[in-house]
Amino acid sequence: MVTVASGIPRHRGETAITLGNRYAAFHVARLDPGRAVLVPEAPFGHIFLARGSVVFEGTADGQATLSAGDAVRTTSTGGHRITAVTPSEVLIWEMHASTN
């Protein structure tokens, strides 16, 4: 997984793009079948599957299979494992503040 854009201080100097929001980061992963990544721990997250098919672990039912175009929102969680079934591209937003 690569952090492409971030305003989070711990990513300073490590990303291609700096965001003007110190509470958000955008990650991308290309996964071959059987490879996995962990969703960063954060109060809010958004996972979008741009290509392929993956197993998303950590749902209320244990796990779910996602296909291209599917999305998952997370709250007060992290560490969910995403494992590719077919060659896949996963986009992940990590957010540490709300708009309230």
Side-chain angles (χ1 to χ4, degrees):
M1 185 164 63
V2 175
T3 305
V4 176
S6 179
I8 298 174
R10 74 173 181 270
H11 296 139
R12 188 166 286 129
E14 300 175 2
T15 62
I17 300 168
T18 301
L19 299 176
N21 182 333
R22 66 186 188 110
Y23 301 107
F26 179 65
H27 311 277
V28 176
R30 279 191 173 162
L31 302 173
D32 291 326
R35 298 289 299 205
V37 294
L38 294 178
V39 175
E41 293 191 26
F44 304 97
H46 182 85
I47 297 93
F48 178 77
L49 187 60
R51 180 175 72 102
S53 176
V54 300
V55 173
F56 183 84
E57 297 177 20
T59 66
D61 296 328
Q63 65 183 29
T65 301
L66 306 177
S67 299
D70 288 343
V72 175
R73 290 184 187 171
T74 60
T75 57
S76 301
T77 60
H80 299 284
R81 181 177 301 278
I82 299 172
T83 305
V85 176
T86 63
S88 301
E89 294 177 5
V90 183
L91 312 177
I92 301 171
W93 276 102
E94 167 189 357
M95 297 167 280
H96 293 271
S98 71
T99 57
N100 298 339

